[in-house]
mmCIF file of all heavy atoms in Angstrom:
data_model
loop_
_atom_site.group_PDB
_atom_site.id
_atom_site.type_symbol
_atom_site.label_atom_id
_atom_site.label_comp_id
_atom_site.label_asym_id
_atom_site.label_seq_id
_atom_site.Cartn_x
_atom_site.Cartn_y
_atom_site.Cartn_z
ATOM 1 N N PHE A 54 0.846 -1.199 0.000
ATOM 2 C CA PHE A 54 0.000 0.000 0.000
ATOM 3 C C PHE A 54 0.877 1.244 0.000
ATOM 4 O O PHE A 54 1.743 1.412 0.844
ATOM 5 C CB PHE A 54 -0.922 -0.001 1.212
ATOM 6 C CG PHE A 54 -1.914 1.140 1.212
ATOM 7 C CD1 PHE A 54 -2.856 1.253 0.203
ATOM 8 C CD2 PHE A 54 -1.893 2.097 2.210
ATOM 9 C CE1 PHE A 54 -3.769 2.298 0.188
ATOM 10 C CE2 PHE A 54 -2.805 3.143 2.210
ATOM 11 C CZ PHE A 54 -3.745 3.248 1.200
ATOM 12 N N SER A 55 0.653 2.098 -0.983
ATOM 13 C CA SER A 55 1.493 3.272 -1.183
ATOM 14 C C SER A 55 0.632 4.494 -1.413
ATOM 15 O O SER A 55 -0.597 4.410 -1.559
ATOM 16 C CB SER A 55 2.416 3.058 -2.390
ATOM 17 O OG SER A 55 1.635 3.016 -3.585
ATOM 18 N N PHE A 56 1.282 5.664 -1.474
ATOM 19 C CA PHE A 56 0.566 6.894 -1.768
ATOM 20 C C PHE A 56 -0.090 6.813 -3.147
ATOM 21 O O PHE A 56 -1.211 7.281 -3.350
ATOM 22 C CB PHE A 56 1.511 8.092 -1.701
ATOM 23 C CG PHE A 56 0.854 9.403 -2.042
ATOM 24 C CD1 PHE A 56 -0.145 9.919 -1.236
ATOM 25 C CD2 PHE A 56 1.227 10.113 -3.169
ATOM 26 C CE1 PHE A 56 -0.763 11.125 -1.551
ATOM 27 C CE2 PHE A 56 0.622 11.317 -3.498
ATOM 28 C CZ PHE A 56 -0.384 11.828 -2.683
ATOM 29 N N GLY A 57 0.604 6.199 -4.099
ATOM 30 C CA GLY A 57 0.025 6.020 -5.421
ATOM 31 C C GLY A 57 -1.243 5.179 -5.373
ATOM 32 O O GLY A 57 -2.235 5.486 -6.043
ATOM 33 N N HIS A 58 -1.246 4.105 -4.581
ATOM 34 C CA HIS A 58 -2.445 3.281 -4.437
ATOM 35 C C HIS A 58 -3.572 4.073 -3.775
ATOM 36 O O HIS A 58 -4.733 3.980 -4.188
ATOM 37 C CB HIS A 58 -2.134 2.031 -3.600
ATOM 38 C CG HIS A 58 -1.298 1.021 -4.316
ATOM 39 N ND1 HIS A 58 -0.056 0.647 -3.873
ATOM 40 C CD2 HIS A 58 -1.514 0.317 -5.446
ATOM 41 C CE1 HIS A 58 0.462 -0.251 -4.691
ATOM 42 N NE2 HIS A 58 -0.399 -0.462 -5.659
ATOM 43 N N TRP A 59 -3.247 4.828 -2.741
ATOM 44 C CA TRP A 59 -4.262 5.644 -2.065
ATOM 45 C C TRP A 59 -4.915 6.587 -3.069
ATOM 46 O O TRP A 59 -6.140 6.777 -3.059
ATOM 47 C CB TRP A 59 -3.599 6.437 -0.935
ATOM 48 C CG TRP A 59 -4.512 7.430 -0.286
ATOM 49 C CD1 TRP A 59 -5.428 7.193 0.705
ATOM 50 C CD2 TRP A 59 -4.613 8.825 -0.594
ATOM 51 N NE1 TRP A 59 -6.087 8.348 1.030
ATOM 52 C CE2 TRP A 59 -5.605 9.374 0.255
ATOM 53 C CE3 TRP A 59 -3.953 9.671 -1.482
ATOM 54 C CZ2 TRP A 59 -5.957 10.729 0.222
ATOM 55 C CZ3 TRP A 59 -4.297 11.011 -1.520
ATOM 56 C CH2 TRP A 59 -5.289 11.532 -0.676
ATOM 57 N N GLU A 60 -4.104 7.140 -3.959
ATOM 58 C CA GLU A 60 -4.623 8.052 -4.969
ATOM 59 C C GLU A 60 -5.533 7.321 -5.960
ATOM 60 O O GLU A 60 -6.627 7.794 -6.301
ATOM 61 C CB GLU A 60 -3.448 8.707 -5.700
ATOM 62 C CG GLU A 60 -3.815 9.882 -6.568
ATOM 63 C CD GLU A 60 -2.588 10.594 -7.121
ATOM 64 O OE1 GLU A 60 -1.455 10.174 -6.834
ATOM 65 O OE2 GLU A 60 -2.785 11.577 -7.863
ATOM 66 N N LEU A 61 -5.099 6.146 -6.428
ATOM 67 C CA LEU A 61 -5.855 5.418 -7.436
ATOM 68 C C LEU A 61 -7.170 4.853 -6.903
ATOM 69 O O LEU A 61 -8.157 4.757 -7.640
ATOM 70 C CB LEU A 61 -5.005 4.273 -7.996
ATOM 71 C CG LEU A 61 -3.833 4.676 -8.886
ATOM 72 C CD1 LEU A 61 -3.001 3.452 -9.247
ATOM 73 C CD2 LEU A 61 -4.327 5.370 -10.152
ATOM 74 N N LEU A 62 -7.205 4.467 -5.621
ATOM 75 C CA LEU A 62 -8.399 3.845 -5.061
ATOM 76 C C LEU A 62 -9.580 4.812 -4.974
ATOM 77 O O LEU A 62 -10.722 4.376 -4.797
ATOM 78 C CB LEU A 62 -8.092 3.301 -3.658
ATOM 79 C CG LEU A 62 -7.252 2.019 -3.601
ATOM 80 C CD1 LEU A 62 -6.841 1.720 -2.173
ATOM 81 C CD2 LEU A 62 -8.021 0.847 -4.203
ATOM 82 N N GLN A 63 -9.320 6.092 -5.115
ATOM 83 C CA GLN A 63 -10.392 7.083 -4.972
ATOM 84 C C GLN A 63 -11.137 7.349 -6.278
ATOM 85 O O GLN A 63 -12.077 8.144 -6.302
ATOM 86 C CB GLN A 63 -9.809 8.391 -4.422
ATOM 87 C CG GLN A 63 -9.219 8.194 -3.031
ATOM 88 C CD GLN A 63 -8.589 9.459 -2.488
ATOM 89 O OE1 GLN A 63 -9.284 10.409 -2.153
ATOM 90 N NE2 GLN A 63 -7.271 9.482 -2.418
ATOM 91 N N ARG A 64 -10.735 6.685 -7.350
ATOM 92 C CA ARG A 64 -11.440 6.833 -8.626
ATOM 93 C C ARG A 64 -11.433 5.492 -9.346
ATOM 94 O O ARG A 64 -10.607 4.620 -9.050
ATOM 95 C CB ARG A 64 -10.774 7.910 -9.488
ATOM 96 C CG ARG A 64 -9.297 7.654 -9.797
ATOM 97 C CD ARG A 64 -8.736 8.770 -10.670
ATOM 98 N NE ARG A 64 -7.362 8.530 -11.097
ATOM 99 C CZ ARG A 64 -6.329 9.244 -10.721
ATOM 100 N NH1 ARG A 64 -6.494 10.255 -9.898
ATOM 101 N NH2 ARG A 64 -5.117 8.968 -11.180
ATOM 102 N N ASP A 65 -12.350 5.341 -10.288
ATOM 103 C CA ASP A 65 -12.370 4.110 -11.063
ATOM 104 C C ASP A 65 -11.033 3.924 -11.779
ATOM 105 O O ASP A 65 -10.485 4.871 -12.368
ATOM 106 C CB ASP A 65 -13.487 4.155 -12.105
ATOM 107 C CG ASP A 65 -14.856 3.879 -11.501
ATOM 108 O OD1 ASP A 65 -14.915 3.463 -10.334
ATOM 109 O OD2 ASP A 65 -15.872 4.094 -12.203
ATOM 110 N N ASN A 66 -10.505 2.711 -11.706
ATOM 111 C CA ASN A 66 -9.243 2.389 -12.371
ATOM 112 C C ASN A 66 -9.513 1.209 -13.309
ATOM 113 O O ASN A 66 -9.062 0.092 -13.094
ATOM 114 C CB ASN A 66 -8.176 2.045 -11.333
ATOM 115 C CG ASN A 66 -6.792 1.989 -11.923
ATOM 116 O OD1 ASN A 66 -6.514 2.612 -12.948
ATOM 117 N ND2 ASN A 66 -5.916 1.237 -11.300
ATOM 118 N N LEU A 67 -10.284 1.516 -14.355
ATOM 119 C CA LEU A 67 -10.759 0.497 -15.298
ATOM 120 C C LEU A 67 -10.238 0.792 -16.700
ATOM 121 O O LEU A 67 -9.989 1.961 -17.041
ATOM 122 C CB LEU A 67 -12.293 0.489 -15.339
ATOM 123 C CG LEU A 67 -13.026 0.287 -14.021
ATOM 124 C CD1 LEU A 67 -14.513 0.542 -14.208
ATOM 125 C CD2 LEU A 67 -12.793 -1.113 -13.489
ATOM 126 N N PRO A 68 -10.069 -0.236 -17.521
ATOM 127 C CA PRO A 68 -9.727 0.025 -18.924
ATOM 128 C C PRO A 68 -10.821 0.847 -19.599
ATOM 129 O O PRO A 68 -12.008 0.556 -19.452
ATOM 130 C CB PRO A 68 -9.635 -1.379 -19.536
ATOM 131 C CG PRO A 68 -9.448 -2.308 -18.376
ATOM 132 C CD PRO A 68 -10.176 -1.682 -17.233
ATOM 133 N N ARG A 69 -10.418 1.883 -20.318
ATOM 134 C CA ARG A 69 -11.407 2.656 -21.066
ATOM 135 C C ARG A 69 -12.010 1.790 -22.171
ATOM 136 O O ARG A 69 -13.191 1.901 -22.478
ATOM 137 C CB ARG A 69 -10.746 3.912 -21.643
ATOM 138 C CG ARG A 69 -10.431 4.970 -20.591
ATOM 139 C CD ARG A 69 -9.513 6.045 -21.118
ATOM 140 N NE ARG A 69 -8.168 5.527 -21.362
ATOM 141 C CZ ARG A 69 -7.129 6.291 -21.686
ATOM 142 N NH1 ARG A 69 -7.279 7.609 -21.805
ATOM 143 N NH2 ARG A 69 -5.933 5.756 -21.889
ATOM 144 N N HIS A 70 -11.187 0.960 -22.767
ATOM 145 C CA HIS A 70 -11.641 -0.039 -23.742
ATOM 146 C C HIS A 70 -10.818 -1.291 -23.487
ATOM 147 O O HIS A 70 -9.627 -1.331 -23.785
ATOM 148 C CB HIS A 70 -11.445 0.462 -25.175
ATOM 149 C CG HIS A 70 -11.711 -0.581 -26.222
ATOM 150 N ND1 HIS A 70 -12.859 -1.350 -26.237
ATOM 151 C CD2 HIS A 70 -10.971 -1.009 -27.282
ATOM 152 C CE1 HIS A 70 -12.822 -2.187 -27.261
ATOM 153 N NE2 HIS A 70 -11.692 -2.014 -27.910
ATOM 154 N N ASN A 71 -11.457 -2.284 -22.896
ATOM 155 C CA ASN A 71 -10.737 -3.487 -22.498
ATOM 156 C C ASN A 71 -10.440 -4.342 -23.732
ATOM 157 O O ASN A 71 -11.359 -4.884 -24.358
ATOM 158 C CB ASN A 71 -11.554 -4.281 -21.485
ATOM 159 C CG ASN A 71 -10.756 -5.384 -20.817
ATOM 160 O OD1 ASN A 71 -9.625 -5.678 -21.201
ATOM 161 N ND2 ASN A 71 -11.339 -5.989 -19.801
ATOM 162 N N ARG A 72 -9.165 -4.497 -24.052
ATOM 163 C CA ARG A 72 -8.780 -5.204 -25.273
ATOM 164 C C ARG A 72 -8.242 -6.611 -25.001
ATOM 165 O O ARG A 72 -7.625 -7.228 -25.871
ATOM 166 C CB ARG A 72 -7.733 -4.381 -26.035
ATOM 167 C CG ARG A 72 -8.221 -2.982 -26.385
ATOM 168 C CD ARG A 72 -7.220 -2.207 -27.206
ATOM 169 N NE ARG A 72 -7.074 -2.770 -28.553
ATOM 170 C CZ ARG A 72 -6.223 -2.284 -29.469
ATOM 171 N NH1 ARG A 72 -5.466 -1.242 -29.180
ATOM 172 N NH2 ARG A 72 -6.135 -2.849 -30.657
ATOM 173 N N LEU A 73 -8.496 -7.120 -23.798
ATOM 174 C CA LEU A 73 -7.918 -8.417 -23.438
ATOM 175 C C LEU A 73 -8.439 -9.544 -24.332
ATOM 176 O O LEU A 73 -7.660 -10.352 -24.848
ATOM 177 C CB LEU A 73 -8.196 -8.727 -21.970
ATOM 178 C CG LEU A 73 -7.560 -10.006 -21.433
ATOM 179 C CD1 LEU A 73 -6.042 -9.966 -21.576
ATOM 180 C CD2 LEU A 73 -7.934 -10.247 -19.981
ATOM 181 N N GLU A 74 -9.745 -9.612 -24.522
ATOM 182 C CA GLU A 74 -10.287 -10.679 -25.367
ATOM 183 C C GLU A 74 -9.811 -10.529 -26.807
ATOM 184 O O GLU A 74 -9.573 -11.532 -27.502
ATOM 185 C CB GLU A 74 -11.817 -10.673 -25.308
ATOM 186 C CG GLU A 74 -12.380 -11.234 -24.016
ATOM 187 C CD GLU A 74 -13.854 -11.569 -24.124
ATOM 188 O OE1 GLU A 74 -14.308 -11.912 -25.238
ATOM 189 O OE2 GLU A 74 -14.549 -11.495 -23.102
ATOM 190 N N GLU A 75 -9.668 -9.301 -27.267
ATOM 191 C CA GLU A 75 -9.178 -9.055 -28.619
ATOM 192 C C GLU A 75 -7.791 -9.650 -28.809
ATOM 193 O O GLU A 75 -7.478 -10.213 -29.864
ATOM 194 C CB GLU A 75 -9.141 -7.542 -28.860
ATOM 195 C CG GLU A 75 -8.580 -7.117 -30.211
ATOM 196 C CD GLU A 75 -8.435 -5.612 -30.311
ATOM 197 O OE1 GLU A 75 -8.828 -4.891 -29.368
ATOM 198 O OE2 GLU A 75 -7.906 -5.148 -31.339
ATOM 199 N N VAL A 76 -6.954 -9.546 -27.793
ATOM 200 C CA VAL A 76 -5.587 -10.057 -27.884
ATOM 201 C C VAL A 76 -5.537 -11.567 -27.667
ATOM 202 O O VAL A 76 -4.866 -12.295 -28.404
ATOM 203 C CB VAL A 76 -4.673 -9.344 -26.866
ATOM 204 C CG1 VAL A 76 -3.265 -9.940 -26.895
ATOM 205 C CG2 VAL A 76 -4.612 -7.849 -27.156
ATOM 206 N N LEU A 77 -6.279 -12.061 -26.669
ATOM 207 C CA LEU A 77 -6.222 -13.486 -26.326
ATOM 208 C C LEU A 77 -7.039 -14.352 -27.265
ATOM 209 O O LEU A 77 -6.738 -15.535 -27.448
ATOM 210 C CB LEU A 77 -6.707 -13.709 -24.889
ATOM 211 C CG LEU A 77 -5.886 -13.106 -23.755
ATOM 212 C CD1 LEU A 77 -6.504 -13.491 -22.418
ATOM 213 C CD2 LEU A 77 -4.433 -13.540 -23.822
ATOM 214 N N GLY A 78 -8.104 -13.811 -27.828
ATOM 215 C CA GLY A 78 -8.993 -14.622 -28.639
ATOM 216 C C GLY A 78 -9.870 -15.536 -27.816
ATOM 217 O O GLY A 78 -10.411 -16.521 -28.325
ATOM 218 N N ARG A 79 -10.045 -15.214 -26.546
ATOM 219 C CA ARG A 79 -10.883 -16.005 -25.644
ATOM 220 C C ARG A 79 -11.252 -15.128 -24.458
ATOM 221 O O ARG A 79 -10.718 -14.025 -24.281
ATOM 222 C CB ARG A 79 -10.140 -17.248 -25.137
ATOM 223 C CG ARG A 79 -8.857 -16.936 -24.393
ATOM 224 C CD ARG A 79 -8.295 -18.160 -23.667
ATOM 225 N NE ARG A 79 -6.990 -17.902 -23.079
ATOM 226 C CZ ARG A 79 -6.782 -17.287 -21.930
ATOM 227 N NH1 ARG A 79 -7.815 -16.825 -21.225
ATOM 228 N NH2 ARG A 79 -5.572 -17.106 -21.468
ATOM 229 N N SER A 80 -12.154 -15.633 -23.630
ATOM 230 C CA SER A 80 -12.508 -14.920 -22.407
ATOM 231 C C SER A 80 -11.373 -15.042 -21.392
ATOM 232 O O SER A 80 -10.664 -16.060 -21.362
ATOM 233 C CB SER A 80 -13.799 -15.495 -21.805
ATOM 234 O OG SER A 80 -14.885 -15.304 -22.677
ATOM 235 N N PRO A 81 -11.199 -14.047 -20.556
ATOM 236 C CA PRO A 81 -10.135 -14.131 -19.544
ATOM 237 C C PRO A 81 -10.481 -15.114 -18.439
ATOM 238 O O PRO A 81 -11.643 -15.499 -18.267
ATOM 239 C CB PRO A 81 -10.057 -12.703 -18.994
ATOM 240 C CG PRO A 81 -11.416 -12.134 -19.229
ATOM 241 C CD PRO A 81 -11.906 -12.756 -20.508
ATOM 242 N N ARG A 82 -9.473 -15.543 -17.733
ATOM 243 C CA ARG A 82 -9.683 -16.389 -16.571
ATOM 244 C C ARG A 82 -10.453 -15.617 -15.502
ATOM 245 O O ARG A 82 -10.359 -14.398 -15.402
ATOM 246 C CB ARG A 82 -8.345 -16.845 -15.979
ATOM 247 C CG ARG A 82 -7.541 -17.802 -16.853
ATOM 248 C CD ARG A 82 -6.202 -18.079 -16.189
ATOM 249 N NE ARG A 82 -5.455 -19.130 -16.841
ATOM 250 C CZ ARG A 82 -4.596 -18.945 -17.841
ATOM 251 N NH1 ARG A 82 -4.403 -17.714 -18.322
ATOM 252 N NH2 ARG A 82 -3.937 -19.958 -18.378
ATOM 253 N N ARG A 83 -11.158 -16.363 -14.665
ATOM 254 C CA ARG A 83 -11.847 -15.765 -13.528
ATOM 255 C C ARG A 83 -10.818 -15.425 -12.459
ATOM 256 O O ARG A 83 -10.018 -16.269 -12.061
ATOM 257 C CB ARG A 83 -12.885 -16.740 -12.977
ATOM 258 C CG ARG A 83 -13.634 -16.223 -11.744
ATOM 259 C CD ARG A 83 -14.701 -17.219 -11.321
ATOM 260 N NE ARG A 83 -14.121 -18.489 -10.912
ATOM 261 C CZ ARG A 83 -13.685 -18.741 -9.677
ATOM 262 N NH1 ARG A 83 -13.736 -17.805 -8.750
ATOM 263 N NH2 ARG A 83 -13.204 -19.933 -9.380
#
């Protein structure tokens, strides 16, 4: 846990466009 984490936890930290399936060609692991 760091100052950077404290900063990030206060706002959504999500991919604006999640490209994981595009790269993997499958659904991600759970």
Side-chain angles (χ1 to χ4, degrees):
F54 185 62
S55 68
F56 178 65
H58 288 118
W59 173 83
E60 192 173 0
L61 289 174
L62 286 171
Q63 297 178 71
R64 58 179 185 247
D65 282 349
N66 192 25
L67 304 170
R69 287 167 291 188
H70 172 50
N71 192 352
R72 303 183 68 182
L73 184 59
E74 285 196 30
E75 177 186 356
V76 176
L77 295 182
R79 59 169 173 81
S80 296
R82 292 176 171 89
R83 178 176 63 86

